[in-house]
Amino acid sequence: MDPFRTPDTSIRAHQRASRRVRGMRLAVGATALGVLLVGTAAAASDLGTTEAGRDSASDRGDVDLIGRMAHANSLKAREDYNERLDVEWSKLVARTELISIHRKEKAAAEAKRAAEEAAAEKEAARTAAAERAKRQELEAAEADRAAKIAKAQKAAAARRAEDAEQDTEPAEAAPSDADRLIAAAAEARASAGSAAAAAPAPAASAPIGEPWASLAHCESTGNWSINTGNGYYGGLQFSLSTWRAFGGQGMPHENSPQAQIEVAKRVQASQGWGAWPACTRKLGLR
């Protein structure tokens, strides 16, 4: 500062300098503000451009994502479809196997039933054949029994006819001298003890010899006291007329087997074994 200057001049200079500094500051501030505004506008523009690019990229990313998701969904749908096809195919195979098994079981059951029916028919045929054979055997046995009965009846009728002929024609069956002697002795014994002869004699303890035992078995099944009411009596089936004609006492079936055999011996000596035609023929005595 000039020492010679007045203070007013210095003050005015200082004021001018302050104004210049202030102006410079304002200019610098305005410039800085303009620069700031320009930078801000540029930054805003850049920011807008960046945002737009980002939005565009985001849109493109969304489109790509949607496409990828659609493709993934398509692949998943195809896989699900193939899986359903596999499941249906498995079910079809299983159903086919079940049908095959059912048919096999049905065929086996039908074959078993046919075999059982055939076996049943065979068994029924065998049973029928056995029953038929048994029936034929029974019929043959009945026929044989009927023939034997008829033969026995015929023999009995022939014997009754012979006895009747002997009763009506006593002359033809007249006893011999020996028979008369035997008959006389029998009458003597009868007169000596008629009461004892009339009473039933006890069964003899001595064994009965042959052929009289076999003959009695054939004529009366060995029953020496039989009386069936058919007109024949005792074990050897005497008619009452023959019994009395040859010295028999009382009723034939009331006498002992030995007494019946004694009378039978007289009859056999006089008439032969033909007095008992059927049984003596059966026993081979004639």
Side-chain angles (χ1 to χ4, degrees):
M1 175 180 295
D2 188 356
F4 297 101
R5 289 182 177 181
T6 59
D8 295 334
T9 304
S10 297
I11 293 170
R12 288 193 294 270
H14 179 72
Q15 290 177 349
R16 287 193 299 269
S18 295
R19 283 195 296 268
R20 285 194 297 268
V21 170
R22 190 183 310 101
M24 290 175 65
R25 288 179 178 175
L26 290 175
V28 171
T31 301
L33 180 61
V35 172
L36 179 62
L37 291 175
V38 171
T40 302
S45 177
D46 292 338
L47 181 61
T49 303
T50 302
E51 291 293 333
R54 187 178 299 167
D55 292 339
S56 177
S58 177
D59 292 340
R60 286 195 300 271
D62 292 339
V63 171
D64 292 339
L65 178 61
I66 292 172
R68 286 194 299 272
M69 292 177 63
H71 181 67
N73 291 332
S74 177
L75 291 177
K76 184 65 171 59
R78 185 175 301 172
E79 289 177 358
D80 293 341
Y81 178 73
N82 291 331
E83 185 176 355
R84 286 196 299 272
L85 287 180
D86 292 339
V87 171
E88 293 298 329
W89 174 255
S90 299
K91 290 181 179 180
L92 181 61
V93 171
R95 190 180 300 111
T96 304
E97 291 178 354
L98 288 176
I99 292 173
S100 178
I101 293 172
H102 178 70
R103 288 179 179 175
K104 290 180 180 179
E105 291 177 351
K106 184 177 180 181
E110 290 178 354
K112 182 179 179 181
R113 183 170 57 253
E116 290 176 352
E117 290 177 355
E121 291 178 357
K122 185 177 180 180
E123 181 65 19
R126 189 189 64 79
T127 303
E131 291 178 353
R132 185 165 54 252
K134 185 176 181 180
R135 185 169 56 252
Q136 291 175 354
E137 183 179 355
L138 291 175
E139 291 175 354
E142 289 178 358
D144 183 62
R145 185 165 57 250
K148 289 181 179 179
I149 293 173
K151 184 178 180 180
Q153 290 176 348
K154 185 177 180 181
R159 188 175 60 189
R160 285 194 295 270
E162 291 178 0
D163 291 340
E165 184 178 357
Q166 290 174 4
D167 292 339
T168 55
E169 298 179 3
E172 294 181 0
S176 62
D177 293 336
D179 291 335
R180 282 195 296 273
L181 292 174
I182 294 172
E187 289 177 0
R189 289 195 302 271
S191 61
S194 59
S205 58
I208 299 171
E210 293 293 340
W212 305 109
S214 297
L215 184 60
H217 183 75
C218 178
E219 290 286 342
S220 62
T221 66
N223 186 356
W224 293 90
S225 60
I226 190 170
N227 177 14
T228 60
N230 63 350
Y232 295 89
Y233 307 90
L236 299 173
Q237 292 290 280
F238 289 99
S239 67
L240 192 58
S241 59
T242 301
W243 172 259
R244 290 177 179 173
F246 288 90
Q249 298 297 318
M251 298 297 291
H253 64 285
E254 295 176 351
N255 285 264
S256 66
Q258 286 76 14
Q260 296 181 43
I261 291 172
E262 289 296 328
V263 176
K265 288 179 178 178
R266 297 174 203 153
V267 174
Q268 192 275 334
S270 175
Q271 300 179 6
W273 291 113
W276 300 273
C279 286
T280 55
R281 186 179 297 109
K282 181 178 179 180
L283 294 172
L285 297 175
R286 65 188 184 95

